[in-house]
Amino acid sequence: MSAVIRHDWKREELQALFDLPFPNLLHRAASVHRLHFDPAEVQVSTLLSVKTGGCPEDCAYCPQAQRYDTGVGAQKLMDTDSVVARARAAKQAGASRFCMGAAWRSPKDRDIPKVAAMIREVKSLGLETCATLGMLEGHQAQALKDAGLDYYNHNLDTAPDYYDSIIHTRQYQDRLDTLEHVRNAGLKTCCGGIVGMGETRDHRIGLLLALANLPAHPDSVPINRLVQVAGTPLHGSAELDPFEFVRMIAVARIVMPRSMVRLSAGRESMSDELQVLCFLAGANSIFYGEKLLTTGNPDTARDQALFERLGITPMRANVDADDHDHPGTVHLDIAPDCACRA
């Protein structure tokens, strides 16, 4: 049978998916995954903090907020040569995408040419490029696109009705506006959220509902498991059930079937077995390297060893590839109403 890529998911449909018996949900997600991707391939990204700390925002999870005492000091924007050297090393280690993150609420116009220079040089290495710089205006997004940027990351973080429990220095609409500017500039979007911040399952459903019903599905959907950092308000939060995290991955795969679903922050504390469950549930992208901005990540040797044990190969770079998400019909071997039934 066939089903159209959807942007009109209902809350009760996602609730029904989350409520499925765990084996049924994984089978459903794996079936969808195989329609669009090779399950033995995983896209590998490396993330570098090109400007660390000193952020004026109050995101309760973030060690880079200047108002929290986390031991992360403010640093200036890195020079282009240093960034390119790190990108070259990432490529040699097997990464196909290089992401540059700056701890700004939003970049000033004078910052854009400096970041654009980084993008051009990293792109010249044959890597996909990604940046996460905070909120963007339309002309800034266009300037980054003109420099050769492939992806822009701007997460929704959590459900609209839980957002005020985590962040007070910007509104949910601010994030949606940035994503609109990014799409209008022709950039691919990287947009996901964080789980384990004290939210309920209903909030996690709300996050996926917001992502899946965007005008275009994000090309990459990072699902972060909270990394608790001493000094941040969320330090000491209850740990999320690992199986609930896998359910989050599986439902993301089903409702955004053509998106890359990425295991992002929190992998350092995941067992190999938990990561394998996530791959079986449809995750097909990871961050690769010893650090994600300011928090730990499994080193490349551990990831390479796991890939070898599993027979997984890294995806090749696909610079300037067409968007995964576009209107059309995909062929499914499951009934069209299966999302609501066990």
Side-chain angles (χ1 to χ4, degrees), residues 155-198:
N155 290 334
L156 293 182
D157 283 353
T158 191
D161 58 347
Y162 193 62
Y163 189 80
D164 288 346
S165 300
I166 304 299
I167 302 164
H168 308 93
T169 50
R170 74 170 81 171
Q171 303 300 312
Y172 213 75
Q173 188 60 47
D174 294 329
R175 294 185 180 270
L176 296 174
D177 290 345
T178 289
L179 291 170
E180 183 177 10
H181 296 323
V182 168
R183 288 192 302 269
N184 288 344
L187 289 163
K188 299 177 180 67
T189 55
C190 175
C191 183
I194 308 170
V195 295
M197 297 193 295

Side-chain angles (χ1 to χ4, degrees), residues 256-295:
M256 293 173 281
R258 294 189 179 186
S259 301
M260 296 287 182
V261 177
R262 177 180 299 142
L263 295 183
S264 296
R267 269 205 318 126
E268 184 182 32
S269 62
M270 292 184 195
S271 67
D272 290 347
E273 293 81 3
L274 177 56
Q275 292 187 65
V276 170
L277 279 176
C278 291
F279 294 144
L280 292 174
N284 64 339
S285 178
I286 63 168
F287 270 127
Y288 189 70
E290 65 182 18
K291 184 176 284 190
L292 295 183
L293 297 179
T294 60
T295 58

Side-chain angles (χ1 to χ4, degrees), residues 91-322:
K91 183 179 180 181
Q92 291 172 349
S96 62
R97 187 181 306 167
F98 191 74
C99 305
M100 293 156 277
W104 287 317
R105 171 177 166 80
S106 57
K108 296 180 173 60
D109 283 346
R110 67 171 183 264
D111 298 317
I112 297 297
K114 301 173 186 176
V115 177
M118 297 176 186
I119 292 166
R120 283 190 291 267
E121 292 299 318
V122 171
K123 187 73 169 285
S124 72
L125 299 176
L127 287 163
E128 296 173 345
T129 55
C130 180
T132 178
L133 315 171
M135 295 183 289
L136 288 184
E137 297 296 333
H139 68 282
Q140 294 176 323
Q142 188 61 55
L144 296 175
K145 171 67 174 177
D146 292 343
L149 188 66
D150 296 300
Y151 292 82
Y152 193 79
N153 166 261
H154 200 65
N155 290 334
L156 293 182
D157 283 353
T158 191
D161 58 347
Y162 193 62
Y163 189 80
D164 288 346
S165 300
I166 304 299
I167 302 164
H168 308 93
T169 50
R170 74 170 81 171
Q171 303 300 312
Y172 213 75
Q173 188 60 47
D174 294 329
R175 294 185 180 270
L176 296 174
D177 290 345
T178 289
L179 291 170
E180 183 177 10
H181 296 323
V182 168
R183 288 192 302 269
N184 288 344
L187 289 163
K188 299 177 180 67
T189 55
C190 175
C191 183
I194 308 170
V195 295
M197 297 193 295
E199 78 284 346
T200 64
R201 175 181 282 187
D202 197 53
H203 294 133
R204 290 188 284 278
I205 290 171
L207 169 60
L208 290 180
L209 195 65
L211 291 168
N213 287 345
L214 287 169
H217 291 165
D219 297 270
S220 289
V221 181
I223 304 296
N224 299 274
R225 189 167 73 161
L226 176 67
V227 177
Q228 299 190 27
V229 178
T232 60
L234 289 178
H235 183 249
S237 298
E239 294 282 349
L240 183 69
D241 178 1
F243 294 128
E244 185 71 9
F245 183 80
V246 179
R247 286 182 182 274
M248 186 78 179
I249 296 290
V251 177
R253 168 52 64 213
I254 292 168
V255 300
M256 293 173 281
R258 294 189 179 186
S259 301
M260 296 287 182
V261 177
R262 177 180 299 142
L263 295 183
S264 296
R267 269 205 318 126
E268 184 182 32
S269 62
M270 292 184 195
S271 67
D272 290 347
E273 293 81 3
L274 177 56
Q275 292 187 65
V276 170
L277 279 176
C278 291
F279 294 144
L280 292 174
N284 64 339
S285 178
I286 63 168
F287 270 127
Y288 189 70
E290 65 182 18
K291 184 176 284 190
L292 295 183
L293 297 179
T294 60
T295 58
N297 199 45
D299 62 27
T300 55
R302 175 185 165 188
D303 286 331
Q304 289 170 350
L306 180 60
F307 277 18
E308 184 174 353
R309 291 165 64 197
L310 300 176
I312 285 177
T313 57
M315 289 183 189
R316 292 184 177 184
N318 201 11
V319 178
D320 292 327
D322 292 336

